[in-house]
Amino acid sequence: NTKPPGPHCFGGDDRLVGREGSFSAGDGEGRCVRENHVGFWYALPKNGRCPAGQAPGKDAWSSGCTWSLTQRVKTIRQDCLLKDQDYLKYCKADVLEKKGFTRSIKALEAAFASEDPSMGGCADIGGPNTDERQA
């Protein structure tokens, strides 16, 4: 369902990047559409990761690596965002109000902007760097 042929909008295979409308909401639910008012989730399969210093080529859909890490800003634990900062409460309120995701965005930004839980922050747990070689 895409041109050039290859990736599925969600999942696909163990190398191609998948894309789906967040929470399957809006007109872009599970299909390859240009825009979605709630944004998109991307699936980055391990087997599609480019080696350090390499970027996907123009024919990546047919062979080769399909994604690369250009910069790691911060990695947080899911539990910190969902449980400690009660993120789903903000998402639910935004969905019910149907006026955008202002609360959710603010909470997510706070989680990455600070390490202080009292300010909505979450600790950086580390993660891969751009110069890290694949094992």
Side-chain angles (χ1 to χ4, degrees):
N1 64 359
T2 61
K3 293 184 187 205
H8 295 271
C9 295
F10 183 68
D13 66 14
D14 67 349
R15 190 182 63 77
L16 298 171
V17 175
R19 178 180 129 178
E20 176 188 35
S22 304
F23 298 109
S24 296
D27 294 333
E29 61 174 279
R31 297 189 308 270
C32 288
V33 296
R34 191 172 300 268
E35 296 179 15
N36 184 312
H37 72 283
V38 296
F40 295 97
W41 286 335
Y42 291 87
L44 304 173
K46 181 178 180 179
N47 289 336
R49 184 175 180 186
C50 296
Q54 183 179 339
K58 66 178 182 173
D59 294 328
W61 62 270
S62 64
S63 66
C65 64
T66 57
W67 66 274
S68 62
L69 183 64
T70 58
Q71 178 184 15
R72 185 188 76 81
V73 177
K74 184 176 179 180
T75 304
I76 64 173
R77 291 198 184 282
Q78 180 178 349
D79 280 355
C80 176
L81 184 64
L82 297 181
K83 293 181 181 175
D84 301 345
Q85 300 303 335
D86 207 8
Y87 185 71
L88 294 180
K89 172 182 75 176
Y90 301 113
C91 289
K92 183 177 180 180
D94 285 339
V95 168
L96 293 174
E97 189 177 70
K98 298 180 181 181
K99 292 185 180 178
F101 289 86
T102 55
R103 293 176 192 92
S104 303
I105 291 168
K106 187 175 179 180
L108 187 59
E109 287 174 341
F112 282 90
S114 173
E115 302 272 322
D116 184 350
S118 69
M119 296 180 67
C122 292
D124 185 349
I125 61 168
N129 292 312
T130 56
D131 60 353
E132 200 171 90
R133 300 215 181 264
Q134 286 182 286

